[in-house]
């Protein structure tokens, strides 16, 4: 590491005058000023796909322990924002700060290890495994086997005890989500709603601080939607923070305490559901877009 011939930064590399107040130092300062009550801050986020601007300078914050909704008409840039936050896409501009740390451009496993976790659709190869097996694999799956072993250093020393603990945690989670009766069922045989419950239960296996869900109610019947919403509300009360990405405005209005509205890649409005409902720009954006 301390090899004198290595590609180390030259000591006398004084930056030119005009670079002394770079955007980097500005964002660093901004990150340091973020209070713990704001776990997630997105600043001037930008993402382009060829000639298409999907996210065009979006900025917002999420408060700790809140159930915050990110809504907007189709094509508003919600999923791209979600993917930039969770490391699936590298943004072309702006910063994502989680718990005071700049996580912009980090990989999804690195971000998950820090406690910011998204749900994943059950992958094809996991469809042939049982619900129980899916849950047992969830931590390695989400933060990667290598990081998983680093996060749980006891694993190598005491494999059996760790396995028993993991099994207990899995059963507790299955009971909490009322899918314990499906433990031996192949994941591929679950209904759309049961899958969504399993996806959220899997995400919780890495003990996150904050969860991001992108349209978790798509294709879910009303009974299971209710169950999923109940679990999300319970978890919020326990102190988990949620960012719920959704295009169904009514669902968000009824369930979130804070709502962020995106339109054409930027934040158009934000506030309480009542404030958003009365905002003419929001109504217009929804009427103009294909909802
Ligand atoms: P939303 O989730 O709000 O419906 P998206 O973030 O999915 O919006 O999309 C925003 C815009 O970016 C749309 O015009 C969409 O077609 C475009 N877009 C999203 N992902 C890609 C991609 N991988 N390649 C090209 N264009 C994309
Ligand atoms: Mg989307």
């Amino acid at each position: 590491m301390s090899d004198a011939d290595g590609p180390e930064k030259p000591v006398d590399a004084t930056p030119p005058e005009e670079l002394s107040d770079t955007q980097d130092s500005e964002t660093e300062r901004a990150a340091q000023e973020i209070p713990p009550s704001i776990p997630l801050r997105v600043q001037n986020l930008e993402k382009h796909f060829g000639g298409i601007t999907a996210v065009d300078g979006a900025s917002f914050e999420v408060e700790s322990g809140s159930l915050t909704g990110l809504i907007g008409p189709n094509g508003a840039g919600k999923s791209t924002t979600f993917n930039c936050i969770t490391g699936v896409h590298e943004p072309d501009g702006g910063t994502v700060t989680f718990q005071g740390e700049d996580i912009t451009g980090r990989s999804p496993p690195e971000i998950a290890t820090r406690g910011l976790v998204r749900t994943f659709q059950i992958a094809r190869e996991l469809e042939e495994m049982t619900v129980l097996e899916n849950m047992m694999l969830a931590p390695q799956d989400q933060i990667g086997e290598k990081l998983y072993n680093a996060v749980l250093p006891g694993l190598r020393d005491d494999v059996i005890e760790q396995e028993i603990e993991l099994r207990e945690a899995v059963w507790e989670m299955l009971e909490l989500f009322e899918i314990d009766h499906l433990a031996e069922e192949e994941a591929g045989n679950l209904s759309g709603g049961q899958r969504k419950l399993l996806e959220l239960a899997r995400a919780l296996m890495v003990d996150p601080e904050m969860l991001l869900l992108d349209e978790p109610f798509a294709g879910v019947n009303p009974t299971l939607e209710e169950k999923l919403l109940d679990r999300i509300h319970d978890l919020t009360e326990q102190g988990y923070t949620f960012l719920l990405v959704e295009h169904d405005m009514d669902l968000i209005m009824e369930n979130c305490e804070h709502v962020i509205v995106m339109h054409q890649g930027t934040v158009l409005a934000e506030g309480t559901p009542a404030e958003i409902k009365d905002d003419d720009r929001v109504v217009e954006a929804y009427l103009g877009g294909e909802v």
Side-chain angles (χ1 to χ4, degrees):
M1 285 300 279
S2 57
D3 186 354
D5 296 329
E8 299 205 334
K9 232 193 256 172
V11 190
D12 60 345
T14 320
E17 234 359 70
E18 64 269 26
L19 289 178
S20 61
D21 193 18
T22 60
Q23 209 184 352
D24 271 358
S25 64
E26 260 174 41
T27 49
E28 247 170 53
R29 251 200 321 275
Q32 282 159 7
E33 284 162 13
I34 302 174
S37 59
I38 305 291
L40 182 71
R41 176 179 282 178
V42 173
Q43 277 176 303
N44 302 320
L45 197 70
E46 259 180 59
K47 181 70 189 173
H48 310 277
F49 297 106
I52 298 167
T53 300
V55 184
D56 193 12
S59 300
F60 59 88
E61 292 176 347
V62 175
E63 217 171 284
S64 178
S66 72
L67 175 45
T68 296
L70 178 61
I71 63 169
N74 284 330
K78 305 180 297 294
S79 292
T80 308
T81 300
F82 181 97
N83 287 332
C84 286
I85 294 171
T86 53
V88 174
H89 292 323
E90 193 168 341
D92 296 315
T95 53
V96 180
T97 314
F98 183 64
Q99 293 183 326
E101 189 187 357
D102 188 344
I103 57 159
T104 320
R106 289 200 182 261
S107 71
E110 282 177 307
I111 292 171
T113 312
R114 283 165 172 77
L116 180 59
V117 165
R118 53 164 298 181
T119 50
F120 284 100
Q121 282 187 359
I122 308 297
R124 196 170 286 267
E125 61 269 27
L126 290 173
E127 287 189 345
E128 286 171 17
M129 292 192 192
T130 66
V131 166
L132 185 65
E133 287 163 342
N134 262 276
M135 289 293 287
M136 293 294 287
L137 286 169
Q140 290 106 304
D141 236 32
Q142 281 166 98
I143 61 178
E145 197 169 356
K146 225 167 128 190
L147 277 171
Y148 176 67
N149 287 334
V151 172
L152 296 172
L155 199 63
R156 257 162 300 146
D157 307 336
D158 210 337
V159 178
I160 294 171
E161 199 177 307
Q162 287 285 342
E163 171 101 10
I164 290 169
E165 269 178 33
L166 178 61
R167 233 164 232 281
E168 278 172 6
V170 162
W171 277 106
E172 250 176 57
M173 200 65 81
L174 289 175
E175 281 163 23
L176 179 72
F177 280 83
E178 298 174 33
I179 49 172
D180 46 317
H181 62 292
L182 298 168
E184 297 304 332
E185 191 65 65
E186 277 184 20
N189 295 337
L190 301 184
S191 73
Q194 290 168 337
R195 262 172 197 253
K196 297 290 178 182
L197 286 167
L198 176 59
E199 284 166 20
L200 182 54
R202 290 187 98 236
L204 283 162
M205 288 306 296
V206 297
D207 198 18
E209 303 280 331
M210 177 169 175
L211 289 114
L212 281 91
L213 314 180
D214 192 359
E215 304 211 357
F217 308 105
V220 175
N221 75 46
T223 313
L224 284 180
E225 178 179 299
E226 199 62 33
K227 195 180 270 186
L228 192 53
L229 274 166
D230 284 348
R231 292 294 80 75
I232 293 172
H233 283 296
D234 290 347
L235 292 162
T236 311
E237 266 163 39
Q238 286 171 34
Y240 288 93
T241 307
F242 277 90
L243 181 63
L244 207 55
V245 176
E246 186 59 58
H247 78 271
D248 181 346
M249 176 137 74
D250 292 337
L251 189 144
I252 291 290
M253 292 300 184
E254 280 161 27
N255 289 284
C256 294
E257 63 239 41
H258 189 76
V259 183
I260 298 158
V261 188
M262 276 189 83
H263 182 49
Q264 295 177 345
T266 59
V267 174
L268 180 68
E270 63 175 299
T272 62
E275 286 166 346
I276 294 303
K277 251 183 202 142
D278 283 342
D279 197 311
D280 291 341
R281 292 168 304 170
V282 177
V283 177
E284 220 169 274
Y286 264 86
L287 290 178
E290 25 151 349
V291 183

